[in-house]
Amino acid sequence: MFTEADDKMIREHFDDLLECCAPICRTPEDKKLIVDTFNFANDAHRGVRRKSGIPYILHPIAVAKIVVSEIGLGVKSVAAALLHDVVEDTDYTVEDIETRFGKKIATMVDGLTKIKKASELAGSGSSAQAENFKKMLLTLSDDVRVIIIKLADRLHNMRTLGAMSVDKQMKISSETIYLFAPLAHRLGLYNIKTELENLSLKYSFPEDYKKISDKLAETEASRSEFIDKFNAPIIERLNENGIEFTIKGRVKSIYSIWKKMQRKMVTIDEIYDLFAIRIVFKPIPFVPEKTQCWNIYSIITDLYKPKPDRIRDWVNIPKANGYEALHCTVMGPGGVWAEVQIRSERMDEIAEKGFAAHWKYKERGKGENREGELDKWIKEVQNALNSPTEDAVEFLDEFKLNLYTSEVVVFTPKGETITMPKGSVVLDFAYEIHTNLGNKAIGAKINHKIESLYTPIKNGDQVEIITSETAHPVLASLDHVITAKAKQKIKSFLKKERENNLANGMKLFEDALKERGVTPSARVFHKVLPAYNSTNKDEFYVKLGAGIISLDNLDKVLKENAATKLIKYWSLQVSNTIKFFGGSKSDNQKTIDEQIKVAQCCMPIPGDEIIGFRDDDGGVIVHKKSCDEAIMLASRHGEKIVPIKWSSEKIISFLSVIEVRGIDRMGILRDISNVITGEMNINIRKLQIESHDGIFEGEITLYVKDKKDLEHVMNKVASIKGIESAKRVSDEYKHNVAANGTKQA
Ligand code: MN
């Protein structure tokens, strides 16, 4: 039961919320609605507590506060946020809500309930999580506010994630980084996106997170000294010009720093653009904001030299999520590059609050264009969702692809402008215009020059599609197009073909096995699928049925060992809440052999941070924690996560790949193999070297005991005369290979 102290705490939190709502409560009815919905929710959740022990109602109050203070939505959204868990967690129904608070709020609560229900029904082994996300996106078409409230809900759950178990933390963080943060980005909610990313990092990579935040704290003094020195002349000149403004130096987010370190494989000390300067000005009336932005730009570049290729003009052509600003990079004191962002107050509000601010400015009769872009995007999502060919998992992958991309603007032959995601090829453009145009396309004239279907289109290109009546979509195109629309259209065409091929392939394979007296088992597929470059049975059958692969070397494949190497002597730490393989031992730590496999996409070795997933055969597949594939798996199949740790024993060896680069000279190959096999007594499995124009590049596949061992090898190799670098082949590279390799024979 609740104590007096609990009630006092609830009261205080609600009073605080009411205060935040004061600016949006225009009539007494507005305030009454908030008070009434609070009383209703407070009653409904009475006596219930969160995992952390605090009264449950503090969660809806906190979500409502985010909705009003950090996103800037209105009274109805606050009411819906307060009620968001009532229908799912208590005995009240949507009808009860409608009777008391009207249809609009009931519909929003209904949307929020459906999302939650789907998420909790998520059983094992299915794509239930994906279905859940799909449902969530469906609400976009009804009322975007539902998604925004859901984001606020997720944000508060992330802020309080410390109270959850480790595997729950991993599942929720992965979902957040996989879908919620990109979604916040797409809706222009930058602050929320950044916080979601940072929190997700904090729980997925606590050590990295701490290292970066410590470093930022440590360098703060010298950084702010630089910023002051940098800003001083700007402030003086802007004042002289009678411009009203604020200027701030903003540090990049921990997540974006981490991401950059991962991508470029550098340390934090090697990242030079840790911060940006932001100038927000109050526009003077009757002068276009655009003119004022460029005016400030010219004042700054009188003081500091700009980097010509680093001007980003999102004032003329805003990003699809509505973002407007003028960015440039200039050379500051002491030869340090600094990024400067110039925004009007209106642009700043849109950047901070995203979608909600859009509405506000649209109502004032401005920003027609930006609204159009967002509407268009929502319509596209709707179309894709309504397409019957679309499977939830597939949809989500492609949807996600489109969340982060920035755009290029191209012209039709008639001179109309079409906005496409950056990286789009000619075929994407054809499908963007019309399905039939895409299906029949064979090439294009780009700026009157003939180009292929897979040529990337660039900003300002004029594109005219060339068609042929006999043309039809082919599988290979899926590796080139990047828009969800093109992929979906090609797939739905191929689907019919595919069904025939699948049946054919299955029969071919069954016959081939029968001939050899082999029964199709999980073991057989473990060998066959990787050997034929297939990720699952269906893909394998379809390729076989379509004649893309043939079974010529089946005998050899069946004799070989499975592609995922079995390794022994791991110790698994299995949390108490997870039942594991029906094992009979009751101790927390078990040594399990044979059932553990190393994921081929990232090839973790002892010393790497790892995460395990149960597979369909009851085994565990181990990925590096930073592997894209693992993040995707965790976001969809959180129920399969197995907390896992390396044992301290170094008994067997792991396969690893390093990449070397250097200047070619006589005998260098011999030196490499001498160092590795001779001096270090390490077994090389494969050595692949290519030499051109005096440069040589190659990959060495070898067996090592652990990460330290591998680093030792790399240092040794790097010290050989002529060798410029020796690096471990990164996840990203590996993942790309896997992603592109699946569709081709
Ligand atoms: Mn909630």
Side-chain angles (χ1 to χ4, degrees), residues 50 56 59-60 63 84-85 89 116 150 153-154 157:
R50 296 257 286 172
Y56 194 89
H59 165 63
V63 174
H84 83 270
D85 281 333
D89 292 348
K116 192 166 182 217
K150 183 67 201 169
D153 181 32
R154 172 56 59 131
N157 286 333

Side-chain angles (χ1 to χ4, degrees), residues 35-173:
V35 173
D36 287 352
T37 45
F38 163 71
N39 284 333
F40 185 78
N42 192 23
D43 221 40
H45 293 299
R46 185 113 201 113
V48 184
R49 291 176 190 277
R50 296 257 286 172
K51 259 241 162 66
S52 59
I54 61 159
Y56 194 89
I57 186 71
L58 295 187
H59 165 63
I61 293 176
V63 174
K65 192 175 167 190
I66 294 171
V67 160
V68 58
S69 309
E70 298 181 45
I71 307 177
L73 292 181
V75 172
K76 284 200 174 64
S77 304
V78 170
L82 282 169
L83 297 170
H84 83 270
D85 281 333
V86 165
V87 173
E88 180 55 20
D89 292 348
T90 76
D91 293 335
Y92 289 103
T93 63
V94 175
E95 287 70 41
D96 294 334
I97 307 258
E98 186 172 341
T99 325
R100 273 164 220 248
F101 304 113
K103 183 136 187 83
K104 189 69 239 175
I105 288 170
T107 317
M108 281 159 81
V109 174
D110 190 32
L112 287 157
T113 307
K114 279 186 186 136
I115 295 169
K116 192 166 182 217
K117 217 184 230 151
S119 135
E120 266 149 31
L121 279 177
S124 61
S126 70
S127 55
Q129 268 170 291
E131 276 297 344
N132 162 32
F133 289 143
K134 187 173 166 182
K135 273 207 189 92
M136 187 174 88
L137 295 169
L138 264 172
T139 61
L140 266 178
S141 48
D142 307 335
D143 191 337
V144 188
R145 286 177 295 182
V146 174
I147 292 280
I148 296 179
I149 296 167
K150 183 67 201 169
L151 280 170
D153 181 32
R154 172 56 59 131
L155 180 60
H156 185 247
N157 286 333
M158 285 300 290
R159 284 176 181 171
T160 52
L161 198 57
M164 304 298 261
S165 62
V166 173
D167 51 321
K168 269 265 169 62
Q169 286 179 354
M170 194 64 199
K171 172 181 184 278
I172 293 173
S173 303

Side-chain angles (χ1 to χ4, degrees), residues 166-226:
V166 173
D167 51 321
K168 269 265 169 62
Q169 286 179 354
M170 194 64 199
K171 172 181 184 278
I172 293 173
S173 303
S174 298
E175 283 174 6
T176 300
I177 206 66
Y178 186 75
L179 193 80
F180 288 93
L183 201 53
H185 172 86
R186 193 58 184 79
L187 293 171
L189 300 161
Y190 279 92
N191 291 344
I192 288 179
K193 171 208 160 200
T194 304
E195 194 179 342
L196 286 175
E197 286 174 342
N198 284 345
L199 286 167
S200 177
L201 182 68
K202 184 174 163 188
Y203 289 103
S204 311
F205 295 91
E207 280 168 30
D208 288 2
Y209 182 87
K210 191 170 178 311
K211 243 183 250 164
I212 297 172
S213 55
D214 286 353
K215 185 80 189 178
L216 287 178
E218 193 185 296
T219 53
E220 213 209 306
S222 66
R223 195 168 45 245
S224 66
E225 194 184 313
F226 175 86

Side-chain angles (χ1 to χ4, degrees), residues 467-645:
T467 57
S468 153
E469 262 319 298
T470 55
H472 63 81
V474 293
L475 189 64
S477 293
L478 287 176
D479 288 340
H480 298 275
V481 295
I482 67 149
T483 55
K485 192 172 186 176
K487 290 202 172 194
Q488 185 212 321
K489 298 293 180 192
I490 295 169
K491 276 187 191 160
S492 70
F493 181 93
L494 294 173
K495 210 186 169 220
K496 279 172 264 160
E497 265 190 341
R498 182 189 145 92
E499 271 152 20
N500 289 336
N501 290 338
L502 191 121
N504 273 342
M506 201 185 286
K507 187 165 182 326
L508 278 172
F509 188 58
E510 276 168 7
D511 289 350
L513 288 185
K514 214 177 272 169
E515 247 172 59
R516 290 163 176 79
V518 178
T519 32
S521 65
R523 274 176 63 100
V524 167
F525 283 103
H526 267 302
K527 293 178 185 179
V528 166
L529 296 185
Y532 291 101
N533 225 341
S534 304
T535 50
N536 57 49
K537 288 184 198 175
D538 280 7
E539 188 189 334
F540 169 68
Y541 289 142
V542 169
K543 281 177 173 174
L544 189 58
I548 298 168
I549 53 177
S550 78
L551 294 173
D552 289 348
N553 53 347
L554 184 61
D555 290 315
K556 205 178 139 221
V557 170
L558 289 174
K559 269 185 213 132
E560 262 171 28
N561 285 328
T564 38
K565 247 180 89 67
L566 300 177
I567 51 167
K568 292 181 180 179
Y569 306 106
W570 290 54
S571 72
L572 274 183
Q573 284 187 346
V574 183
S575 88
N576 285 325
T577 51
I578 299 180
K579 257 210 181 150
F580 200 70
F581 312 142
S584 56
K585 282 185 206 163
S586 59
D587 54 63
N588 241 9
Q589 190 148 343
K590 300 176 190 177
T591 304
I592 297 175
D593 36 330
E594 292 186 27
Q595 287 146 316
I596 316 282
K597 293 161 206 158
V598 171
Q600 293 299 295
C601 48
C602 54
M603 301 208 286
I605 60 174
D608 288 333
E609 288 210 60
I610 47 168
I611 176 172
F613 293 94
R614 260 172 285 178
D615 73 1
D616 297 337
D617 305 328
V620 172
I621 300 183
V622 181
H623 288 265
K624 278 168 79 168
K625 250 191 185 179
S626 59
C627 170
D628 288 348
E629 191 77 23
I631 293 169
M632 191 184 73
L633 273 169
S635 73
R636 280 193 203 146
H637 298 292
E639 79 285 353
K640 292 188 176 175
I641 297 174
V642 180
I644 187 170
K645 272 189 178 171

Side-chain angles (χ1 to χ4, degrees), residues 13 31 71 76 173 193 222 227-228 235 253 279 366-367 369 377 471 490 496 505 516 619 644 691 715 719 742:
H13 277 80
K31 189 176 171 188
I71 307 177
K76 284 200 174 64
S173 303
K193 171 208 160 200
S222 66
I227 290 172
D228 287 346
I235 294 171
S253 83
I279 297 170
K366 288 182 192 169
N369 224 349
W377 178 74
I490 295 169
K496 279 172 264 160
R516 290 163 176 79
I644 187 170
S691 173
N715 286 337
S719 68
T742 53

